[in-house]
């Protein structure tokens, strides 16, 4: 019992050792190419503050109260009864306490807190992954049901879709969607990118769903049909609920993959996380920091999704 | 009530063409209990499955209450709701509780309200003797209990006829009795039944007609007494000597 514990601790120490070794290797390598780390250049790409000029909206009276040596709390009491309050850098202030201001007078400079390109990119990546997951799920469900259809037309169309998408590189599909379909159908780059990703993931989802449905014992279909339920009811109430439980892990893997694959849309100039990383690296020359940062952010997204899935799986497993 | 007219069904297995049902004709009258026997692979299950079109037939016709069920105009879902079926492997829905198993088609096909369906389900569960198990999932039941739930599920549709496809052959021997007992009760209540089974005791007690099949053909038909005392065909004699 105790030796088991020591064994475990030993292996954990080995794990930590390897991680430390890899980190040390990284510093040695960067030393060798004379790379200087500038991690301090990164945070402002998450959030930054900037100054904008603040103007009065109407006529009224100004009240100024110094808070510290740099900033003052300013409140405007307009004649209409409306009020406005904000923090202003004291030396940019154009009025004294009790002065009258008139409409569009410049009052001073206020600080605004803005999202940096990393956050904007992160949001775009989440949005594009979310939309293409939902669409891809619908495409996949339709094509997956089509693949097991007895009708040669439906089966043929679904098979062509799956084989064409799985047989060509995603990056080529994105180019075709943007440069060809996008031009013909006047799609903006976000729509083109989302559609390309949705069709891509749909083909893989279709195969997962087909396999899931075929793994359900045919007796289930027969029992439901023999009770007079039609094909659609049988699928909805009997086959798909059982199939989905089984295909949850591969399906989740596919959507986690999709988050990573979405980085390819940066080549049609969508400002996603990857594009944000490239922009930071070109403007700061902190190339390593920029790409390590976005790698970390992708990891946060994918790991939280897989944790969510594991939680859902555990909840589902209860009814077995 | 059911008229089976010269039906054929062939399967293509690899390079072989198997005539599972080969020009079979018979009929089942209202209230009649018909037992189909025969060696495995003789086509008795396929014959049964042709009655509710789980197998589409190649030629011939099946009439239920005068309706040609192979006609394209016939709504097969309506027909199937009138024909209850019990399978060898139960085929209960594993993700639904016993109650949901029995309620589902009542609500979705018969359009009964939840209260009506629940009442019917309670009545049937009591009838098959497992009224305390309404809330459990099929995997928590024994084979015999599962098969009784399957019978209740089929009965919930108020079928005109019940088809039993080897209902006891997947059961442990000590559970056969409880399922046969339910079937006996049904037969005595006047339910029209077609049963594929080797339970000759059951056949002897309630069957009005026994059909012997071999290689897709009906080779002998008669009442149970006939089969036990003086079967005509050599094949029937051989088969009976093997199972009795």
């Amino acid at each position: 019992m105790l030796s088991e514990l020591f064994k475990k601790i030993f292996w954990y120490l080995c794990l930590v050792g390897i991680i430390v070794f890899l980190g040390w290797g990284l510093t040695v390598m960067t030393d060798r190419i004379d790379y200087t780390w500038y991690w301090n250049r990164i945070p402002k790409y998450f959030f930054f503050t900037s100054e904008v000029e603040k103007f009065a909206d109407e006529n009224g009276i100004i009240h100024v109260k110094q808070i510290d040596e740099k900033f003052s709390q300013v409140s405007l009491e307009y004649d209409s009864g409306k009020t406005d309050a904000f923090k202003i850098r004291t030396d940019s202030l154009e009025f004294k306490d009790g002065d009258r201001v008139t409409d569009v007078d410049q009052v001073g400079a206020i600080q605004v807190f803005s999202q940096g390109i990393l956050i904007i990119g992160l949001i775009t990546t989440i949005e594009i992954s979310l939309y293409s997951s939902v669409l891809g799920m619908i495409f996949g469900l339709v094509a997956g049901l089509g693949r097991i259809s007895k009708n040669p037309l439906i089966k043929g169309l679904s098979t062509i879709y799956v084989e064409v998408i799985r047989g060509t590189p995603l990056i080529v599909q994105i180019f075709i969607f943007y440069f060809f379909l996008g031009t013909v159908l006047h799609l903006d780059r976000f729509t083109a990118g989302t559609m390309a990703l949705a069709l891509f993931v749909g083909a893989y989802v279709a195969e997962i769903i087909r396999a899931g449905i075929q793994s359900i014992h045919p007796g289930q279909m027969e029992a439901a049909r023999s009770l007079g339920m039609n094909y659609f009811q049988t699928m909805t109430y009997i086959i798909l609920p059982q199939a989905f439980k089984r295909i949850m892990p591969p399906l989740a893997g596919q959507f986690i993959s999709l988050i990573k694959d979405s980085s390819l849309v940066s080549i049609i100039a969508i400002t996603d996380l990857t594009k944000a990383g490239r922009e930071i690296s070109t403007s700061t020359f902190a190339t390593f920091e920029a790409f390590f940062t976005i790698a970390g952010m992708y990891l946060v997204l994918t790991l939280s999704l897989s944790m969510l899935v594991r939680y859902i799986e555990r909840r589902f497993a209860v009814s077995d | 009530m059911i008229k089976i007219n010269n039906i054929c069904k062939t399967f293509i297995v690899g390079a072989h063409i198997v005539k599972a049902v080969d020009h079979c004709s018979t009929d089942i009258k209202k209230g009649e209990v018909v037992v189909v026997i025969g060696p495995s692979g003789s086509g008795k299950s396929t014959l049964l499955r042709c009655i509710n079109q789980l197998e589409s037939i190649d030629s011939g016709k099946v009439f239920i209450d005068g309706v040609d069920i192979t006609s394209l105009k016939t709504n097969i879902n309506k027909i199937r709701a009138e024909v209850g079926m019990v399978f060898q492997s139960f085929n209960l829905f594993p993700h639904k509780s016993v109650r949901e198993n029995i309620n589902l088609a009542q609500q979705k096909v018969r359009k009964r309200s939840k209260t009506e369906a629940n009442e019917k389900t309670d009545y049937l569960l009591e009838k098959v003797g497992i009224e305390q198990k309404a809330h459990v999932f099929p995997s928590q039941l024994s084979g015999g209990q599962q098969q009784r739930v399957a019978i209740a599920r089929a009965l919930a549709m108020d079928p005109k006829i019940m088809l039993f496809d080897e209902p006891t052959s997947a059961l442990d021997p000590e559970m056969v009795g409880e399922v046969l007992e339910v079937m006996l009760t049904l037969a005595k209540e006047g339910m029209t039944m077609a049963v594929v089974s080797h339970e000759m005791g059951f056949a002897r007690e309630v069957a009005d007609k026994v059909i012997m099949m071999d290689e897709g053909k009906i080779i002998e038909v008669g009442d149970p007494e006939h089969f036990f005392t003086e079967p005509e065909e050599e094949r029937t004699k051989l088969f009976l000597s093997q199972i009795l």
Side-chain angles (χ1 to χ4, degrees):
Chain A
M1 187 68 214
L2 203 63
S3 73
E4 278 293 307
L5 185 68
F6 279 126
K7 256 188 207 164
K8 238 182 194 171
I9 290 173
F10 170 74
W11 288 117
Y12 273 119
L13 285 177
C14 286
L15 181 66
V16 172
I18 288 171
I19 292 169
V20 169
F21 176 76
L22 287 176
W24 172 78
L26 193 69
T27 43
V28 168
M29 282 189 287
T30 48
D31 276 349
R32 199 167 282 181
I33 56 164
D34 276 336
Y35 190 84
T36 326
W37 294 89
Y38 291 108
W39 280 106
N40 58 341
R41 290 181 186 170
I42 300 297
K44 67 173 176 214
Y45 291 102
F46 283 96
F47 292 103
F48 62 93
T49 52
S50 59
E51 284 197 342
V52 293
E53 277 141 12
K54 176 74 188 173
F55 300 95
D57 295 335
E58 296 170 24
N59 302 338
I61 295 171
I62 189 167
H63 301 287
V64 180
K65 214 176 102 194
Q66 185 92 20
I67 355 179
D68 50 41
E69 61 240 54
K70 238 185 136 189
F71 293 101
S72 301
Q73 180 67 34
V74 171
S75 55
L76 284 171
E77 209 172 287
Y78 296 123
D79 297 343
S80 65
K82 264 173 51 183
T83 57
D84 199 356
F86 36 83
K87 223 164 88 173
I88 274 188
R89 187 155 51 80
T90 311
D91 43 10
S92 74
L93 201 56
E94 306 274 342
F95 294 94
K96 291 200 300 291
D97 191 33
D99 280 356
R100 269 201 76 75
V101 292
T102 44
D103 196 9
V104 297
D105 272 349
Q106 187 180 327
V107 182
I110 60 169
Q111 308 266 318
V112 287
F113 199 55
S114 308
Q115 292 171 345
I117 193 170
L118 280 174
I119 297 297
I120 293 170
L122 178 70
I123 291 169
T124 310
T125 288
I126 293 174
E127 269 180 351
I128 216 163
S129 308
L130 198 67
Y131 295 150
S132 46
S133 298
V134 173
L135 273 175
M137 193 68 219
I138 297 168
F139 293 154
L141 189 58
V142 172
L145 288 173
R147 290 271 281 164
I148 52 168
S149 166
K150 287 199 184 95
N151 181 322
L153 172 70
I154 298 172
K155 190 176 181 159
L157 282 177
S158 320
T159 309
I160 290 170
Y161 162 62
V162 170
E163 293 303 337
V164 166
I165 296 289
R166 293 205 310 173
T168 52
L170 174 57
I171 199 160
V172 175
Q173 292 164 20
I174 292 173
F175 279 140
I176 290 175
F177 246 87
Y178 183 55
F179 291 116
F180 175 65
L181 288 178
T183 315
V184 175
L185 303 171
H186 303 289
L187 301 177
D188 63 86
R189 55 184 88 236
F190 187 85
T191 316
T194 309
M195 288 302 289
L197 277 178
L199 278 177
F200 173 77
V201 77
Y204 287 86
V205 169
E207 283 301 273
I208 295 174
I209 288 181
R210 179 190 60 75
I213 291 173
Q214 286 177 336
S215 79
I216 303 298
H217 193 273
Q220 291 289 309
M221 175 61 97
E222 288 177 357
R225 297 307 298 273
S226 79
L227 288 165
M229 286 162 70
N230 60 35
Y231 179 81
F232 181 75
Q233 288 172 324
T234 306
M235 274 294 163
T236 315
Y237 300 112
I238 306 301
I239 308 295
L240 288 178
Q242 294 183 60
F244 268 110
K245 210 177 201 173
R246 279 189 203 174
I247 63 179
M248 196 72 139
L251 213 51
Q254 196 59 55
F255 288 122
I256 289 168
S257 255
L258 177 69
I259 294 179
K260 298 180 289 168
D261 292 337
S262 77
S263 68
L264 285 176
V265 299
S266 64
I267 53 163
I268 54 168
I270 294 174
T271 307
D272 73 332
L273 204 43
T274 303
K275 177 103 185 311
R278 290 220 317 256
E279 282 179 19
I280 295 167
S281 92
T282 45
S283 56
T284 60
F285 300 111
T287 312
F288 292 2
E289 294 86 332
F291 286 115
F292 277 120
T293 307
I294 63 162
M297 290 168 79
Y298 275 114
L299 256 182
V300 169
L301 282 184
T302 52
L303 286 182
S304 32
L305 184 57
S306 64
M307 259 150 57
L308 176 75
V309 172
R310 222 169 300 154
Y311 171 75
I312 294 172
E313 264 175 56
R314 232 177 296 138
R315 290 291 301 269
F316 260 131
V318 175
S319 69
D320 260 340
Chain B
M1 178 174 181
I2 290 184
K3 205 171 162 49
I4 296 169
N5 204 342
N6 213 19
I7 63 171
C8 290
K9 172 74 189 176
T10 49
F11 291 110
I12 297 164
V13 185
H16 303 279
I17 295 174
V18 180
K19 284 191 172 178
V21 175
D22 192 4
H23 297 93
C24 290
S25 300
T26 188
D27 47 53
I28 304 168
K29 296 187 195 73
K30 192 169 175 2
E32 215 173 31
V33 176
V34 175
V35 173
V36 186
I37 58 172
S40 77
S42 60
K44 48 198 193 311
S45 285
T46 311
L47 179 71
L48 201 67
R49 290 155 62 86
C50 287
I51 298 178
N52 66 354
Q53 285 282 285
L54 279 184
E55 303 292 353
S56 58
I57 56 181
D58 298 335
S59 64
K61 291 212 179 303
V62 175
F63 297 92
I64 296 180
D65 275 345
V67 181
D68 176 7
I69 67 159
T70 52
S71 155
L72 286 174
K73 279 178 244 158
T74 310
N75 180 351
I76 191 61
N77 293 323
K78 260 196 186 132
I79 301 290
R80 284 185 181 140
E82 308 289 338
V83 182
M85 180 136 190
V86 175
F87 300 85
Q88 180 178 358
S89 51
F90 328 134
N91 295 346
L92 292 178
F93 308 133
H95 61 305
K96 296 197 173 292
S97 71
V98 166
R99 179 178 296 287
E100 289 167 333
N101 261 279
I102 306 176
N103 275 2
L104 185 68
Q106 295 189 62
Q107 291 175 260
K108 301 300 172 193
V109 179
R110 288 282 188 235
K111 307 287 178 207
R112 288 180 192 145
S113 73
K114 192 159 186 195
T115 338
E116 285 173 312
N118 272 332
E119 264 172 43
K120 183 96 190 168
T121 300
D122 286 332
Y123 165 75
L124 286 169
L125 281 177
E126 200 186 321
K127 184 169 180 160
V128 298
I130 32 179
E131 58 272 36
Q132 315 88 348
K133 302 280 187 184
H135 56 278
V136 307
F137 284 90
S139 57
Q140 294 162 274
L141 295 176
S142 72
Q145 289 171 327
Q146 289 193 44
Q147 194 59 298
R148 284 185 282 156
V149 172
I151 294 173
R153 179 175 71 178
L155 287 175
M157 305 302 286
D158 296 321
K160 291 176 184 159
I161 175 168
M162 287 284 284
L163 309 176
F164 292 85
D165 186 4
E166 307 206 27
T168 55
S169 37
L171 295 175
D172 290 337
E174 75 270 24
M175 292 168 183
V176 170
E178 60 194 60
V179 172
L180 285 180
E181 206 170 300
V182 172
M183 290 169 63
L184 275 173
T185 318
L186 277 181
K188 284 180 178 153
E189 285 172 2
M191 173 63 80
T192 313
M193 290 162 71
V195 185
V196 170
S197 177
H198 295 154
E199 297 295 336
M200 296 312 286
F202 173 81
R204 184 169 225 165
E205 195 160 341
V206 290
D208 299 294
K209 185 158 89 178
V210 177
I211 295 174
M212 168 75 191
M213 279 186 82
D214 189 34
E215 292 179 342
K217 291 190 174 69
I218 293 177
I219 58 169
E220 195 165 356
V221 181
D223 58 29
E225 262 336 285
H226 164 82
F227 274 85
F228 283 110
T229 52
E230 44 187 337
E232 280 158 23
E233 302 285 329
E234 277 308 311
R235 188 73 190 84
T236 314
K237 281 180 199 162
L238 180 67
F239 174 71
L240 287 174
S241 72
Q242 280 162 347
I243 64 162
L244 287 177

